[in-house]
Amino acid sequence: MSLLPALTGSFSTPAVDNPTVAMMEAAYAHHGIDARYVNCDVAAADLPDAVRGATAMGWIGFNCSLPHKVAVIELLDELAESARLIGAVNCAVRGDGGWIGENTDGQGFLGSLRILTEPAGQRVLILGAGGAARAIAVELALAGAAELWVANRNLAKAAEIADLVNAETSSTCTAVEWRQELTVPASANVVVNATSLGLPGSGVVPLSFDVIPMGLVVCDVIPNPPDTEFLQRARQAGARTLDGRGMLLNQGAINIQLWTGVDPDREVMGRALDQAIAG
Ligand code: NDP
């Protein structure tokens, strides 16, 4: 490490439990990348100053997490195509013309899903219609998923995602109002819980696993703790499962690639992430 490393980091609040720093710095150390990753607690009102500070200090990139993913857009100079479609940015990259906004949440999910199955041609039930659901729906559609259902309590938010996917991609997307226990559509191959339900104490995800399609893959976005009750119920019903740790890991790896050009070792990052989560 030189006396003047390249700077990267994260702006969010609360930030105290964000385990990302451990896996990013492990990758930098493993690959001899002369960079640091700084976890910063930034209040909503301070985001413009934080971005100006990053610019002034020559940062090469930063992540944005809650609550900044939409607000940061007007502080950037350009948007990548998927960030424009998703309408949110979780990764800013310093380019020649200023800050470019990217969204790597959905790409991180796809990287994780590909371990079990290719997204092209899949029929996917997405639970939730917030930022994570929107990123996952857009990336699945851009990757050639055949059909999507987006189920949400607030139907208008699900309909917004369905309209976006139907207008901008070749996938078909239907909004579903989700007010009581839902059944997995018989033709679905994949289910994704993209709600914040399922964190300890947040309540049970109202999805029935009594009858599920053969070969169903069930995913959760919650990275910590990764083996959620939702995934445990899915496994008991015979589904293959994928936890949210892989999504977090893969979006971090994509961020490093965007900032430094290095495709980092995911095993090294995963070990550091697991230690941070356990600690
Ligand atoms: P948002 O606040 O944007 O969306 C939350 C979603 O959860 C909405 O669809 C909301 O429904 C739904 N929801 C919340 N509470 C309930 C409830 N009691 N019953 C039914 N639905 C509910 O959050 P995000 O999309 O940003 O984040 C969602 C989850 O994804 C979080 O747990 C976050 O940690 C995780 N995440 C994981 C990432 C990873 O890398 N693994 C990356 C990004 C996010 P409604 O609209 O009706 O309120």
Side-chain angles (χ1 to χ4, degrees):
M1 176 91 56
S2 77
L3 296 177
L4 190 61
L7 292 176
T8 62
S10 170
F11 301 153
S12 69
T13 189
V16 70
D17 289 324
N18 185 349
T20 304
V21 59
M23 67 175 185
M24 304 303 262
E25 294 233 312
Y28 292 160
H30 179 76
H31 293 284
I33 300 169
D34 188 19
R36 298 301 308 264
Y37 187 95
V38 190
N39 184 26
C40 306
D41 195 313
V42 176
D46 294 326
L47 184 65
D49 283 343
V51 174
R52 270 194 292 275
T55 307
M57 289 185 279
W59 284 35
I60 60 168
F62 60 86
N63 288 131
C64 275
S65 195
L66 291 175
H68 305 313
K69 289 184 182 181
V70 174
V72 76
I73 289 177
E74 64 179 31
L75 306 171
L76 306 175
D77 302 289
E78 260 179 73
L79 282 186
E81 178 63 2
S82 61
R84 182 188 68 77
L85 283 177
I86 294 163
V89 164
N90 76 322
C91 174
V93 183
R94 186 74 163 266
D96 293 339
W99 291 110
I100 304 162
E102 298 269 358
N103 193 307
T104 60
D105 280 336
Q107 293 168 40
F109 172 77
L110 285 194
S112 179
L113 181 65
R114 283 196 169 103
I115 294 167
L116 287 187
T117 186
E118 269 305 310
Q122 301 292 346
R123 300 180 189 281
V124 186
L125 170 63
I126 299 172
L127 303 172
R134 197 175 166 102
I136 289 169
V138 166
E139 293 294 350
L140 279 169
L142 292 176
E147 184 170 12
L148 305 178
W149 299 268
V150 177
N152 201 43
R153 270 187 319 197
N154 178 339
L155 180 63
K157 280 169 68 182
E160 220 180 272
I161 297 178
D163 290 348
L164 172 74
V165 167
N166 290 326
E168 302 270 357
T169 77
S170 55
S171 296
T172 303
C173 186
T174 308
V176 177
E177 188 166 19
W178 186 28
R179 294 218 162 256
Q180 54 200 15
E181 193 175 64
L182 200 65
T183 305
V184 181
S187 58
N189 320 103
V190 180
V191 173
V192 187
N193 174 34
T195 71
S196 37
L197 269 179
L199 287 166
S202 67
V204 173
V205 181
L207 182 79
S208 168
F209 287 111
D210 288 347
V211 180
I212 59 166
M214 286 278 288
L216 188 71
V217 173
V218 176
C219 318
D220 206 331
V221 296
I222 291 171
N224 184 18
D227 195 25
T228 58
E229 195 231 352
F230 179 70
L231 293 182
Q232 290 168 18
R233 282 203 292 134
R235 269 201 308 278
Q236 278 160 15
R240 291 183 295 161
T241 59
L242 198 62
D243 65 39
R245 170 193 176 277
M247 177 178 172
L248 184 65
L249 179 62
N250 276 291
Q251 61 86 22
I254 298 166
N255 299 339
I256 289 180
Q257 195 159 15
L258 287 169
W259 295 331
T260 69
V262 175
D263 184 12
D265 186 320
R266 275 127 172 111
E267 272 185 32
V268 167
M269 293 178 71
R271 278 198 296 275
L273 178 62
D274 289 344
Q275 274 170 14
I277 287 175

